[in-house]
């Protein structure tokens, strides 16, 4: 018996198990499967796999790629899930009522001490004790915003590199039996491109989740990495990490908790009382990420000896090879801005904290030095994050900034020290960190009324000292 001439054509995925065909269509953006891809699947023997086993694998694959899209953007839900699993593997006890109460009291005391030494304030700050998973949940949206430009860039570069590798295979002949004779690698890659972009986005999301989960195990406070990850009025302390920190220094936990509560309260005040600061810090990170150049030559070298369809092998091959060794001029400018801002934030926090705790905590000096060493050296988690996004978040010039703020305080008191946050154009820059005494002298030569006039001019969009209205000299 022969087919009727008006019988509809068989679907292009005919001969593949429906579970496999469904997964492949989902990963290729719902497109009908190219006959070459169908033949390649058959050539690999996938049409003979046990249906129950295939259905189980299909469910796992679909779950893996459910939140990934073809842009290469980070899947925040997947990254959060990986981060939570990372912290759970090391233990993440729930916060008790006693711990929460101790934290609230510590932050209340910290703000009383800070009120005595600075006018930079934010009313209604509340101490919160968070578990590691709570920190992950609260901060992951900010991390996603910061790393998304790199995730998309990596996805683009990986797609280009794998396409080139498949093209090279095509020139020398694809492995016999893997695909039908005469298969065009470029056409096949076009069909697989959505799947590969989803795969890369998923892998990057896993890496981000691992990095944030590892960082959650180390941070002592909500914004210890000097980024505005937590919004006021919350002042977040991490009790488990603080206890380990205090025990490592052989300092009693209540003193360590109070010292860190003062630091975090000062940092929170600064980010939420200085209207331009948080946005400029985050913008500098995004600008750096957006101009990151992916080292496609290094990626191609890593891919040359592996099967480009093996996701795990691909990830291992490109590990440590993502970023071009040379920073672009735009990246260098963004990095300079970021390093200066991080140093100014931590330098101010350092000086203000010292002034606030000196009369109250017997071990204040030891705690302050321990925190500075901790930030200067950077922990494993920060190194992991640097490998992921190519950016080191350490405030390298913390001591220079602390010296500048101390000199301002010595010259003009707390008012002069805090006045630098009035406007970004009067804040110290990298050159001022090179010459802190010169900056102090220049600030001291400007009277309070002159400074107010210059700030007013800046806010009106005028050049300082050159108002557009008023009398002019002839």
């Amino acid at each position: 018996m022969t087919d009727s001439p008006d019988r509809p054509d068989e679907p292009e995925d005919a001969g593949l198990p429906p579970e496999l065909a469904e997964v492949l269509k989902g990963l290729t953006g719902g497109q009908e499967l190219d006959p070459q891809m169908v033949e390649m699947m058959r050539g690999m023997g996938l049409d003979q796999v046990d249906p129950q086993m295939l259905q189980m694998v299909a469910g796992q694959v679909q779950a893996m790629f459910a939140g990934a899209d073809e842009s290469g953007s980070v899947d925040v839900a997947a990254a959060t899930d990986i981060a939570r699993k990372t912290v759970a593997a090391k233990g993440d006890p729930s916060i008790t009522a006693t711990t929460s109460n101790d934290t609230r009291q510590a932050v209340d005391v910290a703000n009383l001490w800070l009120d005595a030494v600075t006018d930079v304030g934010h009313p209604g700050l509340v101490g919160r004790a968070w578990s590691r998973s709570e920190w992950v949940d609260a901060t992951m949206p900010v991390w996603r915003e910061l790393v998304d430009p790199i995730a998309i860039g990596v996805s683009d570069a990986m797609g280009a590199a794998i396409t080139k590798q498949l093209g090279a295979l095509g020139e020398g002949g694809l492995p016999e039996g893997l695909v039908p004779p005469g298969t065009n690698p470029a056409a096949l890659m076009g069909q697989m491109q959505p799947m590969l972009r989803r795969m890369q986005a998923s892998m990057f999301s896993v890496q981000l989740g691992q990095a944030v989960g590892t960082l959650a195990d180390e941070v002592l406070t909500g914004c210890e990495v000097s980024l505005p990850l937590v919004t006021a009025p919350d002042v977040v302390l991490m009790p488990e990490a603080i206890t380990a920190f205090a025990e490592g220094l052989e300092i009693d936990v209540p003193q360590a908790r109070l010292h860190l509560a003062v630091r975090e309260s000062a940092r929170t005040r600064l980010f939420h009382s200085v209207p331009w600061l948080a946005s400029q810090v985050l913008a500098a990170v995004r600008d750096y990420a957006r101009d990151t150049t992916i080292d496609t030559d290094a990626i191609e070298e890593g891919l040359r000896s592996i099967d480009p369809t093996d996701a795990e092998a691909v990830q291992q091959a490109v590990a440590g090879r993502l970023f071009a060794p040379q920073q672009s001029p735009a990246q260098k400018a963004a990095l300079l801005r970021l390093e200066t801002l991080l140093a100014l934030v931590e330098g101010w926090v350092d000086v203000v904290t010292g002034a606030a705790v000196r009369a109250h905590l017997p071990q204040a000096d030891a705690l302050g030095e321990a925190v500075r060493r901790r930030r200067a050296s950077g922990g494993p988690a920060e190194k992991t994050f640097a490998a992921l996004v190519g950016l080191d978040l350490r405030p390298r010039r913390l001591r220079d900034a602390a010296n500048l703020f101390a000199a301002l305080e010595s010259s003009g008191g707390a008012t002069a020290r805090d006045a630098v946050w009035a406007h970004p154009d009067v804040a110290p820059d990298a050159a001022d960190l090179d010459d802190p005494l010169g900056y102090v002298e220049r600030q001291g030569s400007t009277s309070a009324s002159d400074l107010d006039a210059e700030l007013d001019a800046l806010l009106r969009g005028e050049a300082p000292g050159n108002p557009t209205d008023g009398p002019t000299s002839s």
Side-chain angles (χ1 to χ4, degrees), residues 153-212:
V154 170
S155 182
D156 290 341
M158 286 289 293
I162 292 176
T163 299
K164 187 172 182 179
Q165 288 303 306
L166 285 175
L169 284 174
E171 292 169 5
L174 289 164
E176 184 177 354
L178 180 62
V179 296
T183 295
N184 182 342
L188 182 61
M189 188 61 193
Q191 182 81 6
M192 295 176 64
Q193 189 73 261
M195 177 179 67
L196 293 173
R197 293 185 71 84
R198 285 183 169 87
M199 183 184 297
Q200 176 55 41
S202 181
M203 288 193 298
F204 200 94
S205 300
V206 169
Q207 291 175 295
L208 175 61
Q210 290 171 340
V212 174

Side-chain angles (χ1 to χ4, degrees), residues 315-400:
Q315 186 172 1
Q316 293 176 352
V318 301
R321 301 170 181 261
L322 290 179
F323 308 113
Q326 299 298 321
Q327 294 169 337
S328 70
Q331 273 193 302
K332 290 179 180 178
L335 183 60
L336 181 62
R337 294 199 326 270
L338 180 62
E339 287 185 341
T340 301
L341 287 169
L342 293 181
L344 291 176
V345 168
E346 291 305 308
W348 184 87
V349 167
D350 207 47
V351 170
V352 170
T353 297
V357 304
R358 195 169 294 118
H360 304 286
L361 299 180
Q363 295 175 299
D365 290 341
L367 282 162
E369 184 58 30
V371 169
R372 284 190 290 271
R373 286 200 309 269
R374 171 185 171 87
R375 292 307 314 276
S377 62
E382 289 189 46
K383 294 173 183 175
T384 299
F385 197 78
L388 178 64
V389 301
L391 180 62
D392 192 336
L393 296 175
R394 284 181 290 156
R396 298 178 183 277
R397 307 199 63 182
L398 188 155
R399 289 189 183 273
D400 293 335

Side-chain angles (χ1 to χ4, degrees), residues 86-87 100 152 245 279 287 294 309 314 377 380 387 430 454:
T86 301
V87 299
S100 293
I152 294 171
F245 175 69
S279 60
D287 289 348
I294 308 302
T309 63
V314 169
S377 62
E454 291 193 5

Side-chain angles (χ1 to χ4, degrees), residues 102-124:
D102 289 344
T103 300
R104 281 194 299 270
Q105 290 182 357
V107 171
D108 288 344
V109 171
N111 281 301
L112 287 175
W113 293 352
L114 284 168
D115 286 342
V117 298
T118 181
D119 290 331
V120 175
H122 191 288

Side-chain angles (χ1 to χ4, degrees), residues 21-22 26 49 57 61 81 93 96 144 147 164 168 225 259 275 283 288 310 322 342 353 359 389 394:
E22 183 180 352
V49 176
V57 173
V61 172
D81 182 59
T96 66
R144 183 263 179 96
V147 306
K164 187 172 182 179
V225 294
H259 188 277
Y288 184 95
D310 184 339
L322 290 179
L342 293 181
T353 297
V389 301
R394 284 181 290 156

